[in-house]
């Protein structure tokens, strides 16, 4: 099987919209990259809450700060203590 036909076969199994879904990449020590973030809901040095569409994510830690906020990529650094995923009413309560 050629590389080209193998690539087509793999890409035919990828669900529609797969590459536009939010993704989190955690690198140690203390950096988090978030792809396809819809918005920043809260940003303090101890808590950052992000809108991911159907869910929200809450990052807790110390000395948190946004390194960059580009259209498709958001970078957070600091001492990350926890990452919580929230949906429905949980996402709007905090």
């Amino acid at each position: 099987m050629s590389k080209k036909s193998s690539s087509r076969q793999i890409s035919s199994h990828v669900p529609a919209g797969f590459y536009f879904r939010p993704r989190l990449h955690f690198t140690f020590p203390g950096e988090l990259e978030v792809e396809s973030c819809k918005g920043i809901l809260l940003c303090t040095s101890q808590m950052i809450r992000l809108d991911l569409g159907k869910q929200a994510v809450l990052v807790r830690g110390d000395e948190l700060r946004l390194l960059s906020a580009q259209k498709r990529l958001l970078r957070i650094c600091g001492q990350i203590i926890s990452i919580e995923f929230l949906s429905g009413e949980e996402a709007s309560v905090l």
Side-chain angles (χ1 to χ4, degrees):
M1 184 181 298
S2 73
K3 281 187 175 183
K4 196 172 192 175
S5 63
S6 173
S7 168
R8 276 192 212 133
Q9 186 178 17
I10 291 169
S11 64
S12 68
H13 297 292
V14 176
F18 178 79
Y19 295 106
F20 298 107
R21 293 180 186 165
R23 297 197 189 321
L24 279 69
H25 305 276
F26 184 72
T27 58
F28 188 78
E31 188 171 316
L32 178 68
E33 291 183 346
V34 183
E35 293 181 48
S36 300
C37 177
K38 307 292 185 220
I40 301 166
L41 303 172
L42 173 72
C43 184
T44 69
S45 64
Q46 296 178 333
M47 201 180 305
I48 297 176
R49 192 172 80 213
L50 306 171
D51 179 5
L52 301 181
K54 293 181 181 179
Q55 290 186 320
V57 66
L58 178 65
V59 180
R60 295 181 193 261
D62 291 319
E63 299 177 19
L64 298 177
R65 66 185 190 280
L66 297 174
L67 288 179
S68 64
Q70 300 171 355
K71 184 176 180 181
R72 304 270 305 147
L73 181 67
L74 181 81
R75 291 177 53 214
I76 299 169
C77 74
Q79 184 178 359
I80 297 171
I81 296 170
S82 70
I83 300 171
E84 301 172 41
F85 295 91
L86 312 166
S87 62
E89 286 186 25
E90 287 180 315
S92 60
V93 169
L94 294 174

